[in-house]
Amino acid sequence: MDYAETSSNGDIQWCFSQVKGTLEDDVTDADIISCVEFNHDGDLLATGDKGGRVVIFQRDPISKNSIPRRGEYNVYSTFQSHEPEFDYLKSLEIEEKINKIRWLRRKNQAHFLLSTNDKTIKLWKVSERDKRVEGYNTKEENGAIRDPACITALRVPTIKPMELMVEASPRRIFANAHTYHINSISVNSDQETYLSADDLRINLWHLEITDQSFNIVDIKPTNMEELTEVITAAEFHPVECNVLVYSSSKGTIRLCDMRSAALCDHHSKLFEEPEDPTNKSFFSEIISSISDVKLSNSGRYMISRDYLSVKVWDLQMETKPIECYPVHEYLRSKLCSLYENDCIFDKFECCWSGNDCAIMTGSYNNFFRVFDRNTKRDLTLEAARDIAKPKTLLKPRKVCTGGKRKKDEISVDCLDFNKKILHTAWHPSENVVAVAATNNLFLFQDKL
């Protein structure tokens, strides 16, 4: 499904597919979704929550093979990935909240994924079992060991069908390598190594080795009073296994090449946009902090999300972004109140469509924004609770900043800042998107 396939007016039309969750007012903190990630073929979709749980959804086979295709997913597996811990040396509680999930490319019948909380990364194997073995010689069917004196004949075990069971088992635990909270993990294109990043350091791991990692970026100053920036996100290049990028709270993105030095403290490229003097204010430094950076699937471009906008960068041009899309420019006049209620520190993520022609990111009031890079059109949609049924066409939403409000518009003063879309994911090959709204996972697809 190509993003260029649009409706008659040039815009793609999105329709509601389904919602996973409970549309209740009483939401416990543990149920709030903290990350969303499709696997490489889009058949599985994983979510992590603040309670340390991972829920994996599987594409419904009927919806996948129907014409036209439908983007419907059912619960495939749920497991507890992380538990709350306590660091006795530092007297700190370590939350169970899942910060990031990353899938590994499938090599056999099983699926593998990495999940991390603030301190510990785990590699999980998710496998199916639909057969069982009966007729053991040395043990009973319940697992009890048989008395050797009772064994009078040799039995040939037989394999019997059983109800499908999905098992999630931890294969590796990577711990004790980060002093600060882990904000990013990224699997390398070689599928053998991955990186993990915290506020001041980036470590390189081998998936088979749990007791050591290599520190490849370290921005910690000798004197912590001289600290001016922190690492906010990091990601490997999708094709070149030696290249990685990381963003900072100063609004810069650094590209590092591991071939040039083992310790990538000296970047190969620095992507930074000069500050516009007309927009300079007390909040300039806070809103310029980059909350997410994602390389395109082709590896030619990357997007960065700051508080008010999402920018597209060409890896061959460091001086300025080639495209800039305002996400909610109408909030610029509200920065003072957003600072007071801490919303200005919200970390919005962003994602690419499968063919790199479109970008998606979240906003407040359960709004999410889609930008078409070809037509330069943008769309504001809402993950609303009052969507009646599947195939309901989403109406574009508009926010008015003052004066007379039109019928279909919502005033900027009426936006609910407690409802925010921080985490989104786009299917790798189809126009199916997943949007996390508090404790609910909404799925939308293009109107066919």
Side-chain angles (χ1 to χ4, degrees):
M1 185 62 59
D2 196 280
Y3 193 84
E5 293 181 29
T6 56
S7 60
S8 56
N9 64 358
D11 283 327
I12 193 167
Q13 291 183 298
W14 292 90
C15 68
F16 170 64
S17 180
Q18 62 184 152
V19 62
K20 297 291 183 184
T22 53
L23 299 175
E24 298 173 355
D25 291 322
D26 296 330
V27 180
T28 62
D29 199 48
D31 293 329
I32 295 174
I33 297 172
S34 54
C35 55
V36 183
E37 188 78 8
F38 280 103
N39 74 337
H40 292 89
D41 61 10
D43 280 352
L44 296 180
L45 172 64
T47 66
D49 63 27
K50 288 190 173 182
R53 295 181 296 265
V54 172
V55 181
I56 301 175
F57 301 93
Q58 185 180 46
R59 183 83 174 261
D60 183 81
I62 298 172
S63 83
K64 181 182 177 181
N65 299 318
S66 65
I67 301 175
R69 282 185 162 200
R70 301 195 311 275
E72 295 174 7
Y73 286 74
N74 300 316
V75 174
Y76 179 64
S77 177
T78 302
F79 58 93
Q80 189 73 32
S81 175
H82 287 71
E83 301 279 358
E85 299 172 52
F86 190 81
D87 187 333
Y88 291 96
L89 290 175
K90 296 177 182 174
S91 295
L92 285 175
E93 280 189 36
I94 302 170
E95 289 184 342
E96 62 270 39
K97 173 193 168 193
I98 308 296
N99 292 341
K100 284 287 186 292
I101 289 173
R102 290 290 179 264
W103 291 92
L104 276 68
R105 289 193 178 273
R106 197 173 183 185
K107 293 180 179 177
N108 52 39
Q109 287 298 103
H111 298 275
F112 289 86
L113 62 85
L114 288 167
S115 64
T116 184
N117 66 351
D118 287 340
K119 298 288 182 183
T120 306
I121 306 154
K122 295 184 181 181
L123 174 66
W124 290 89
K125 177 184 179 182
V126 182
S127 54
E128 295 181 352
R129 199 169 66 171
D130 60 356
K131 294 179 177 63
R132 70 176 189 272
V133 177
E134 286 185 359
Y136 287 105
N137 287 280
T138 57
K139 60 181 180 180
E140 304 290 350
E141 303 305 332
N142 61 5
I145 301 298
R146 295 177 69 194
D147 182 357
C150 300
I151 303 173
T152 56
L154 181 67
R155 294 193 292 180
V156 178
T158 57
I159 297 174
K160 298 284 183 70
M162 61 177 275
E163 188 178 342
L164 178 66
M165 189 166 70
V166 180
E167 294 178 318
S169 54
R171 307 297 289 181
R172 307 270 188 280
I173 296 176
F174 308 88
N176 306 319
H178 285 276
T179 307
Y180 308 98
H181 291 177
I182 298 170
N183 56 46
S184 303
I185 51 175
S186 177
V187 182
N188 202 344
S189 58
D190 63 13
Q191 294 293 300
E192 292 184 2
T193 57
Y194 74 93
L195 67 77
S196 59
D198 64 26
D199 289 346
L200 298 178
R201 295 190 178 103
I202 300 176
N203 292 333
L204 179 68
W205 300 84
H206 194 285
L207 284 161
E208 298 294 329
I209 301 169
T210 60
D211 59 355
Q212 66 176 353
S213 63
F214 296 96
N215 179 229
I216 53 175
V217 174
D218 188 347
I219 66 167
K220 184 181 179 182
T222 309
N223 182 0
M224 283 295 278
E225 290 179 2
E226 298 171 4
L227 182 68
T228 58
E229 62 180 332
V230 294
I231 298 167
T232 55
E235 188 177 54
F236 266 122
H237 192 280
V239 181
E240 298 174 31
C241 62
N242 52 285
V243 174
L244 63 109
V245 297
Y246 68 91
S247 58
S248 86
S249 57
K250 269 194 166 180
T252 61
I253 305 167
R254 292 173 174 86
L255 182 143
C256 301
D257 190 334
M258 292 190 291
R259 293 174 301 184
S260 59
L263 190 61
C264 300
D265 284 354
H266 300 290
H267 51 267
S268 301
K269 292 184 178 182
L270 176 68
F271 300 86
E272 184 175 18
E273 185 178 27
E275 188 179 2
D276 184 355
T278 59
N279 283 333
K280 190 171 177 61
S281 71
F282 170 78
F283 306 105
S284 296
E285 194 171 315
I286 301 172
I287 63 173
S288 65
S289 175
I290 295 172
S291 56
D292 195 21
V293 61
K294 293 277 172 59
L295 285 148
S296 64
N297 299 291
S298 67
R300 172 71 191 273
Y301 306 100
M302 65 180 171
I303 48 176
S304 64
R305 172 68 207 267
D306 57 43
Y307 189 67
L308 293 178
S309 64
V310 60
K311 294 167 183 169
V312 181
W313 302 80
D314 189 322
L315 292 190
Q316 307 303 319
M317 190 170 83
E318 302 168 59
T319 51
K320 62 179 181 178
I322 57 171
E323 298 160 29
C324 182
Y325 301 99
V327 176
H328 37 219
E329 187 63 27
Y330 46 79
L331 294 181
R332 191 177 288 276
S333 62
K334 301 280 183 186
L335 293 177
C336 190
S337 57
L338 290 165
Y339 177 78
E340 289 171 355
N341 64 17
D342 283 347
C343 284
I344 202 169
F345 301 106
D346 286 333
K347 300 186 188 312
F348 291 96
E349 295 175 7
C350 52
C351 63
W352 289 94
S353 63
N355 59 5
D356 299 339
C357 290
I359 302 160
M360 178 171 61
T361 191
S363 182
Y364 294 103
N365 209 70
N366 278 0
F367 288 169
F368 62 100
R369 306 270 280 137
V370 180
F371 303 96
D372 189 319
R373 297 182 59 215
N374 293 330
T375 64
K376 305 303 180 195
R377 296 177 189 269
D378 62 271
L379 203 57
T380 301
L381 301 169
E382 183 181 5
R385 294 174 53 158
D386 54 359
I387 299 172
K389 54 186 178 180
K391 299 185 181 178
T392 303
L393 197 64
L394 296 187
K395 292 180 181 178
R397 303 303 304 267
K398 283 189 171 63
V399 178
C400 75
T401 53
K404 210 166 185 183
R405 184 170 64 89
K406 294 180 183 175
K407 183 184 176 185
D408 295 332
E409 291 182 337
I410 181 170
S411 169
V412 68
D413 296 317
C414 297
L415 296 175
D416 188 342
F417 292 102
N418 292 317
K419 295 178 179 177
K420 56 193 87 170
I421 304 292
L422 300 177
H423 314 288
T424 59
W426 202 307
H427 190 286
S429 58
E430 296 179 38
N431 281 331
V432 175
V433 299
V435 173
T438 319
N439 64 322
N440 299 304
L441 180 70
F442 288 87
L443 289 153
F444 303 98
Q445 67 181 105
D446 57 345
K447 181 177 179 293
L448 297 169

